[in-house]
Amino acid sequence: MHRSFIIVLLIVLLCHAYGYPQNGLPNPKNGSTYVIAHRGAHNGIPENSLAAYQKAIDLGCDFVEIDIRTTKDGEFVSVHNATIDAYVMEQKGKVKDYTLSQLRAMDIGIKVDEKWRNTKIPTFEEILALCQDKIGIYLDLKEADPKALIPIIKKYHMQEAIVWYLPASAHSELMAIKTNCPECLIMPDPGPKKNINKVLKGYFPKYMASDMDHISKSFVKKLHSKGVKVFVDDDEDDPKKWQKEWQKLMKLGVDGIQTDQPEALIKFLSSQENR
């Protein structure tokens, strides 16, 4: 047996022993389902802020979802909406029409609560520095060139700690990621189940995204048969119905749930494991 083969085999065995399967991600922290904190754990905290991402880390979430946009001067920030209207007082306009320094001068905390006064819009690099070796990142590519993000990701050695969410129709962006960072983890959303084969053949992803409108038992089964994990957005706003929706998703066999209620989801998953 060649020495190089033995070394590779030992690395693989060690990765499994420490909870890192061959697909690059660590195993879920809460049972068998990844918990993805949509815009961070933002209940009572400004969304997409470093504080919301830190709260998700403290809760034991597996991922924080971030929304990457480009500023007027070519920097990268996490803001969900295309405009800053909903987040700041007395200012309006598109994120892309402001420079980074102008955006950083804005207070996105005061509209949530006085205690969050002076909370700033985080840069992409600040988020990576906070999350490195602590939590995965679910990267929703809103308005940014992936080729420009990849060198920053490589600087923090986080190629396999980030899943890139994009609609499967975003062909040029998906191919740019695959070409410039083959080890990066793309996660296209195929939409209806009928599109799955085309997406598999076009991109060979290890992950796919979906939502409550398209997810089904056969959707999940088809992807699992190809070794692909499935992350799904929940959409239930009524607290009385959260658990019912999560139970449905678990019965379907999904691998990860993106939610605005990560703390409640973790408690739910814990209760399921303790049955």
Side-chain angles (χ1 to χ4, degrees), residues 97-111:
D97 292 335
Y98 287 96
T99 65
L100 177 60
S101 62
Q102 289 172 326
L103 290 168
R104 296 283 281 177
M106 298 176 185
D107 184 342
I108 63 168
I110 189 64
K111 290 188 77 171

Side-chain angles (χ1 to χ4, degrees), residues 194-214:
K194 66 180 182 180
N195 295 332
I196 287 177
N197 284 339
K198 181 179 179 181
V199 176
L200 287 172
K201 292 177 182 177
Y203 305 112
F204 302 99
K206 296 177 181 177
Y207 303 87
M208 277 204 206
S210 190
D211 55 39
M212 296 305 294
D213 290 332
H214 295 118

Side-chain angles (χ1 to χ4, degrees), residues 25-46:
L25 294 179
N27 292 323
K29 299 173 184 175
N30 305 281
S32 59
T33 307
Y34 292 103
V35 175
I36 304 147
H38 184 228
R39 310 183 198 179
H42 61 83
N43 288 322
I45 303 174

Side-chain angles (χ1 to χ4, degrees), residues 7-21:
I7 292 171
V8 171
L9 180 60
L10 286 171
I11 291 171
V12 170
L13 291 172
L14 285 170
C15 286
H16 279 278
Y18 284 93
Y20 286 83

Side-chain angles (χ1 to χ4, degrees), residues 123-181:
T123 66
F124 182 49
E125 191 156 357
E126 283 178 328
I127 296 167
L128 295 186
L130 175 68
C131 295
Q132 187 182 39
D133 299 324
K134 298 174 186 173
I135 195 167
I137 293 175
Y138 179 121
L139 194 164
D140 188 339
L141 193 69
K142 295 293 189 186
E143 290 182 304
D145 181 356
K147 294 191 297 294
L149 297 179
I150 287 169
I152 306 173
I153 291 170
K154 289 183 175 181
K155 174 183 174 181
Y156 286 86
H157 308 288
M158 294 182 71
Q159 298 95 305
E160 293 184 285
I162 296 172
V163 291
W164 297 68
Y165 169 81
L166 283 157
S169 59
H171 179 73
S172 60
E173 289 86 355
L174 287 164
M175 291 309 298
I177 299 165
K178 286 182 68 67
T179 300
N180 293 279
C181 184

Side-chain angles (χ1 to χ4, degrees), residues 82-98:
T83 70
I84 50 88
D85 302 18
Y87 308 116
V88 302
M89 307 283 282
E90 300 176 351
Q91 285 178 286
K92 294 184 178 182
K94 294 181 178 180
V95 173
K96 66 181 181 181
D97 292 335
Y98 287 96

